[in-house]
Amino acid sequence: MQTETKQINPQTEANKKWQEKNREKAKYLRNRSTSRSFIKNQATLEDIEELKQLMKTRIELLASASEQTE
């Protein structure tokens, strides 16, 4: 009986190492990708209106935080 050995792609291995080393950045990129995909492919007009309001609030929060650090 022959045993099959899986060939591990070096790029896949490198990606896995990077993700383990950079968990927060990988999570950020994954979430950003999911958000963009949702907006482009599934969001309804109602969803987009809600997201616009959420983004406006977030922009104001980031702007005020930026002003406080200057």
Side-chain angles (χ1 to χ4, degrees):
M1 185 188 281
Q2 267 185 325
T3 59
E4 292 183 31
T5 57
K6 267 191 175 177
Q7 293 293 326
I8 298 175
N9 180 341
Q11 186 62 53
T12 302
E13 196 63 30
N15 288 344
K16 186 178 176 184
K17 261 186 183 177
W18 183 89
Q19 287 177 348
E20 289 172 1
K21 189 176 178 182
N22 300 284
R23 288 186 188 273
E24 286 301 311
K25 181 72 172 179
K27 180 181 175 183
Y28 167 82
L29 294 172
R30 201 170 37 251
N31 288 341
R32 185 178 70 177
S33 177
T34 301
S35 299
R36 288 177 175 179
S37 178
F38 172 75
I39 291 167
K40 288 179 184 179
N41 302 315
Q42 295 178 316
T44 64
L45 186 56
E46 186 178 299
D47 293 332
I48 291 171
E49 290 299 326
E50 180 182 2
L51 291 167
K52 281 171 44 177
Q53 183 57 46
L54 292 169
M55 287 188 290
K56 181 181 174 190
T57 303
R58 181 70 174 155
I59 288 168
E60 291 168 358
L61 176 70
L62 292 172
S64 80
S66 176
E67 289 172 1
Q68 291 175 359
T69 61
E70 290 178 356

